């Protein structure tokens, strides 16, 4: 099990980033959450099998079609046992 927190900067709010992120995380069997931050970034936490989490973090570097991702900060965390993925 692996858990990674990502902070995504750029044009990432109001472009279906959270919805697409949740869809992909659920399909990958990952737990965690995604949410908009007041400063315009998106925060996501993915927890699950290492390969699935790595793919989700890689997807965050691209985002959905309408997004303009400028940077992604990723940091590994201690797994917390999250199984469901939610939009917070």
């Amino acid at each position: 099990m692996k858990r990674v927190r990502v902070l995504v900067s750029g044009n990432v709010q109001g472009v279906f980033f959270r919805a697409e992120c949740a869809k992909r995380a659920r399909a990958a069997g990952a737990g965690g959450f995604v949410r908009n931050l007041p400063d315009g970034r998106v925060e996501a936490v993915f927890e699950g099998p290492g390969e699935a989490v790595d793919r989700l973090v890689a997807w965050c570097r691209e985002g959905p079609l309408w997004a303009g991702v400028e940077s992604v900060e990723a940091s590994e965390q201690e797994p917390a046992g999250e199984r469901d993925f939610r939009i917070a």
Side-chain angles (χ1 to χ4, degrees):
M1 288 299 265
K2 185 175 188 177
R3 180 180 176 96
V4 175
R5 176 181 183 242
V6 295
L7 295 171
V8 187
S9 301
N11 181 31
V12 292
Q13 291 190 9
V15 293
F16 301 101
F17 197 102
R18 291 178 303 155
E20 184 65 21
C21 182
K23 176 181 162 187
R24 288 172 181 263
R26 291 173 184 142
F33 66 88
V34 62
R35 66 180 170 186
N36 286 339
L37 296 177
D39 64 6
R41 295 181 297 172
V42 168
E43 175 187 27
V45 173
F46 305 111
E47 183 170 338
E51 279 187 26
V53 170
D54 290 343
R55 282 194 312 272
L56 290 163
V57 172
W59 175 83
C60 285
R61 299 184 192 287
E62 302 295 322
L65 180 63
W66 301 105
V69 176
E70 292 176 5
S71 69
V72 174
E73 299 172 42
S75 57
E76 224 171 301
Q77 298 181 330
E78 196 65 34
E82 289 194 74
R83 296 179 185 262
D84 295 323
F85 196 88
R86 66 195 184 282
I87 297 175

